[in-house]
Amino acid sequence: MYTASSSVSAPPRPQARTVPAGSGPYLDPAQAGRARRWAGAVAGPLSGRIDLSGPQGAQLRKAIASVHRICPEFNPVQVMRRSGRSVLLVGSTGRATAVAKCLLDHSPAWVERLRHEIAAYRTFVRHRPPVRVPRLIAADPDNCTLVIERMPGRAAALTRHPVEAPPRADVRAALGAIARLNGWRPPAGTFDAPLDYGSRISRYHELGLFTDRDRDDLQKLLRGLAHAGGRQGMGQFCHGDALLSNILLSPTGPVLVDWEHAGWYLPGYDLATLWAVLGDAPAARRHISQLAQSAGPAARDAFLVNLMLVLTREIRNYETAVQRTIREAPPAGSVPAQPGAVSTGEEQRLLLRRLHDDCALARRAVRAAVGTR
């Protein structure tokens, strides 16, 4: 980061109380209280039983039927993850184990995301990336159904914002995989640019998430990056959602999953994503900041722009989650409190406080960088 004033490396903050591992203040707003599992991260043996009764069973039957249309040999065994938007099914295809992803919410935004992921896996068949990815078995972009191989290994983290600092070896493995991916140059036309930086900055300003100075500073950095190397020269291929929960650690090396946002970004987008979610790993954050600065001032400025956008997105998502939790909370006293327990609402508010602190730190680094132009 910008070493003249701030390395964007906040010191660790003591927690108000100790909470059990796997809970605590840094949970996925959409999966609060539950671990988020992806391909290859199913805990325990496959049960071989799927409940197909009731309205939810009808949804599952419809999803399984869409999988059988493109992969008749798929034998569903277990529901890996289910939300209002999609369902992940673990099953077998002959002697191999596979994961089927079926969209339940066919709103345009979610349809576009899954189709983008399908296009990414199809591209990987023709052009192999320098990291391990699940093999594509079958896909139907019209019906939003994807079948890939189930990869062995464990997720580097089970939540979006890990409550405890991950082992250093895990972070090193994740950063190594991200570095190899970021250095990849897939053929022209195979991937687009998922993020319009100018539009996103303007949008956050209109929503009141950026001040006038935030907007002006970020636009100055963008103009400087355009002069430094142009759109193509400053482009970097990124995973686009480089969370530790999207990286499986296997004996043969890291595996990256969930490619809904893959494409060309300003350099350092994946590093900014990792920095944003590693709030309880100051050593890892310092290392990420050093990596972002190592390629020179232009790469540093690109990282800062990415970091402001990523942190602001996280703040927006968790503010929505807190509001939803307040609306859905039971009346006071209706549920007995566990001694020493931390409520979901409190967890989310603690995370929001940390994200706001991080954003203020990044804002100071942006202003310092603008002062050098």
Side-chain angles (χ1 to χ4, degrees):
M1 299 295 293
Y2 186 68
T3 54
S5 64
S6 172
S7 65
V8 191
S9 299
R13 266 186 305 278
Q15 298 293 328
R17 68 190 72 181
T18 302
V19 295
S23 61
Y26 307 147
L27 297 179
D28 186 336
Q31 301 290 330
R34 298 192 297 274
R36 185 182 182 187
R37 299 188 179 99
W38 302 104
V42 177
L46 300 182
S47 67
R49 299 179 61 185
I50 297 180
D51 184 5
L52 298 177
S53 61
Q56 292 189 346
Q59 275 190 334
L60 283 179
R61 289 194 297 271
K62 184 177 179 181
I64 292 170
S66 67
V67 175
H68 283 161
R69 280 195 291 270
I70 60 173
C71 188
E73 66 275 19
F74 182 80
N75 178 34
V77 176
Q78 182 175 319
V79 176
M80 178 189 297
R81 179 177 64 85
R82 181 175 184 162
S83 68
R85 300 187 181 102
S86 63
V87 60
L88 288 181
L89 299 167
V90 181
S92 59
T93 55
R95 295 184 178 180
T97 309
V99 174
K101 183 175 185 178
C102 306
L103 203 62
L104 302 177
D105 178 358
H106 286 261
S107 58
W110 292 103
V111 167
E112 178 61 26
R113 285 177 60 170
L114 187 53
R115 288 178 178 174
H116 185 93
E117 184 173 15
I118 289 173
Y121 278 111
R122 286 179 169 174
T123 299
F124 296 154
V125 173
R126 303 186 301 272
H127 309 286
R128 293 178 62 86
V131 295
R132 297 188 66 211
V133 300
R135 177 178 58 87
L136 175 64
I137 296 175
D140 182 358
D142 293 330
N143 290 318
C144 296
T145 305
L146 171 66
V147 184
I148 57 176
E149 68 173 323
R150 181 192 176 199
M151 303 295 288
R154 60 178 176 83
L158 294 179
T159 54
R160 186 178 187 89
H161 293 262
V163 67
E164 297 177 350
R168 291 185 179 182
D170 292 359
V171 175
R172 284 197 302 269
L175 286 173
I178 292 299
R180 292 193 297 275
L181 180 69
N182 293 159
W184 187 43
R185 307 290 294 188
T190 52
F191 288 93
D192 58 8
L195 177 58
D196 185 327
Y197 283 85
S199 297
R200 183 65 60 85
I201 291 170
S202 297
R203 180 184 174 195
Y204 283 168
H205 177 257
E206 292 169 358
L207 292 172
L209 301 171
F210 283 162
T211 65
D212 291 347
R213 182 170 179 180
D214 290 338
R215 177 199 59 192
D216 295 344
D217 286 348
L218 292 172
Q219 289 177 344
K220 286 178 183 177
L221 292 184
L222 283 180
R223 287 195 293 270
L225 291 169
H227 291 308
R231 183 180 181 86
Q232 182 176 1
M234 285 302 298
Q236 183 183 72
F237 184 78
C238 293
H239 179 276
D241 198 21
L243 306 169
L244 291 178
S245 54
N246 287 335
I247 300 175
L248 304 180
L249 302 176
S250 73
T252 55
V255 181
L256 272 63
V257 299
D258 196 357
W259 293 86
E260 295 176 351
H261 304 281
W264 295 96
Y265 294 80
L266 287 177
Y269 189 86
D270 286 340
L271 290 178
T273 300
L274 282 173
W275 192 98
V277 300
L278 286 172
D280 279 302
R285 280 188 160 184
R286 283 193 296 270
H287 182 49
I288 291 171
S289 296
Q290 292 166 1
L291 290 176
Q293 294 184 87
S294 62
R300 174 206 64 193
D301 292 353
F303 174 71
L304 287 173
V305 173
N306 287 321
L307 189 59
M308 281 293 291
L309 293 179
V310 169
L311 287 170
T312 304
R313 178 199 64 201
E314 294 294 296
I315 289 172
R316 186 185 182 199
N317 289 343
Y318 279 90
E319 284 181 342
T320 301
V322 168
Q323 293 170 1
R324 184 172 61 246
T325 299
I326 293 173
R327 290 195 304 268
E328 298 175 354
S334 62
V335 178
Q338 296 293 329
V342 181
S343 69
T344 298
E346 185 178 354
E347 293 166 351
Q348 293 168 342
R349 285 190 289 272
L350 287 170
L351 173 57
L352 259 179
R353 184 176 65 182
R354 193 265 287 172
L355 289 171
H356 278 290
D357 289 346
D358 289 344
C359 198
L361 192 65
R363 179 177 289 111
R364 291 195 294 270
V366 166
R367 293 178 179 178
V370 170
T372 66
R373 293 212 163 266

